[in-house]
Amino acid sequence: MSATATAPAPQHLRALAQANRVRLARAELKRQVAEDEVSVADVVLACPWEAESMAIADLLMSQHRWGRTRCRRFLAALPMTETKTIGSMTDRQRRALAAMLGGDPATAELSLR
């Protein structure tokens, strides 16, 4: 019996494979949001691994009828930039954003205090 040891893949190939996994997982998440299988508020509150480094604008714009302008206006009501990543949001910001998405701006305003 001969045992052949396989060398681990070079670092750049492992990085490429990881980037592909993240890209495919994000595409699936965006598809689920677009088809109303998952709400953006649930994604923001749960912060799954595939959404940790995703910009909040990318997630918001994956909803039906949400473009750059609507996203920008929505985020202007909260002290948050479009490029803020979901993983870097504080718990207070997550709750405020989820409340705004649920249509309750009063709760969102209280969450930010």
Side-chain angles (χ1 to χ4, degrees):
M1 234 192 205
S2 69
T4 51
T6 58
Q11 188 272 335
H12 71 282
L13 292 178
R14 290 191 309 268
L16 183 61
Q18 174 63 17
N20 285 333
R21 278 192 298 276
V22 171
R23 195 174 8 259
L24 290 172
R26 282 186 185 172
E28 177 62 21
L29 181 65
K30 286 179 171 184
R31 185 198 60 76
Q32 289 175 346
V33 168
E35 294 178 359
D36 286 331
E37 294 175 15
V38 177
S39 73
V40 172
D42 292 340
V43 173
V44 168
L45 291 173
C47 190
W49 69 269
E50 62 264 32
E52 283 181 359
S53 60
M54 179 186 251
I56 187 62
D58 290 339
L59 184 62
L60 288 171
M61 287 189 297
S62 65
Q63 299 176 99
H64 183 65
R65 297 179 53 95
W66 277 70
R68 182 143 323 266
T69 302
R70 186 171 184 183
C71 177
R72 190 175 295 129
R73 286 181 184 158
F74 177 80
L75 290 174
L78 299 167
M80 194 176 305
T81 64
E82 297 173 47
T83 57
K84 177 94 171 157
T85 60
I86 296 168
S88 69
M89 293 170 63
T90 64
D91 188 48
R92 178 184 287 180
Q93 288 173 327
R94 289 179 202 281
R95 288 192 317 265
L97 184 61
M100 287 285 287
L101 286 166
D104 191 4
T107 305
E109 187 176 318
L110 291 175
S111 297
L112 290 173
R113 290 185 186 169

